[in-house]
Amino acid sequence: MPLKADLDAIDWKILRELQNDGRMTNVELSSRVGISAPPCLRRVRRLEEIGIIRGYRALLNAPALGMDVVAFCLIGLHHQADNELKTFAERTRGWPIVRDAWMVSGESDFLLHCVASDLGTFQTFVIEELASAPNVDTVRTALTIRRVKDEGLVAFSAS
């Protein structure tokens, strides 16, 4: 698959470092990637401007905040017309319990990553909000046992 942006080896190093630690200073980043601070900052700003870097956020410890239930929901819709898919996708934005949502291919139409304080809260969401939403045909849920891997979204080679 061709790259959608012109990136050199330094850009890739910057991306790898920032994905691992988005809080490091520009001086630390420039040291890690082997260039001086001013051109490093220009490169980071360029990567932000062209949309390769979409933003920065803190990774929170959900259980420490009382959010002990993590589940995935596979949603099948009655109708998959474009406007129906867009309507459901928009609806997910209004559900705080849904932290990530994907339109998928196969037997289901959407995959939702949900985080709740307890099983009762999750069950209430599934029954009263999700299963009763317009055009929803099927809801299959999977409660997680434990997270076994937590990496950034883009894999980098060891080089």
Side-chain angles (χ1 to χ4, degrees):
M1 173 187 270
L3 285 176
K4 297 179 181 179
D6 184 26
L7 304 178
D8 65 14
I10 298 294
D11 291 327
W12 283 105
K13 287 179 183 178
I14 288 170
L15 293 172
R16 180 175 36 243
E17 293 296 334
L18 287 177
Q19 182 171 255
N20 289 333
D21 180 4
R23 285 192 64 183
M24 77 176 71
T25 66
N26 182 59
V27 171
E28 174 66 20
L29 178 61
S30 67
S31 173
R32 289 187 188 189
V33 301
I35 61 175
S36 64
C40 184
L41 184 58
R42 283 192 297 273
R43 283 173 177 263
V44 170
R45 287 189 175 145
R46 178 183 157 270
L47 292 166
E48 292 169 346
E49 288 167 4
I50 64 175
I52 298 293
I53 297 175
R54 295 186 305 126
Y56 303 88
R57 60 172 64 162
L59 301 174
L60 306 180
N61 181 338
L65 296 169
M67 306 304 279
D68 292 323
V69 175
V70 177
F72 291 90
C73 299
L74 287 163
I75 310 304
L77 301 180
H78 287 290
H79 309 285
Q80 291 80 24
D82 189 53
N83 67 319
E84 298 285 355
L85 295 168
K86 287 178 180 174
T87 297
F88 185 81
E90 184 60 36
R91 184 177 304 279
T92 67
R93 292 181 184 94
W95 290 325
I97 201 169
V98 176
R99 304 313 305 154
D100 210 359
W102 295 85
M103 187 182 301
V104 296
S105 64
E107 293 181 24
S108 299
D109 299 303
F110 287 88
L111 173 66
L112 309 181
H113 171 210
C114 301
V115 179
S117 57
D118 55 71
L119 188 56
T121 300
F122 175 68
Q123 290 171 328
T124 298
F125 165 73
V126 170
I127 294 165
E128 295 181 8
E129 297 282 339
L130 192 51
S132 65
N135 196 32
V136 170
D137 180 34
T138 59
V139 176
R140 293 184 307 160
T141 62
L143 293 172
T144 63
I145 296 169
R146 75 173 63 94
R147 174 177 261 159
V148 296
K149 185 174 182 179
D150 183 15
E151 298 289 331
L153 290 179
V154 177
F156 293 94
S157 64
S159 61

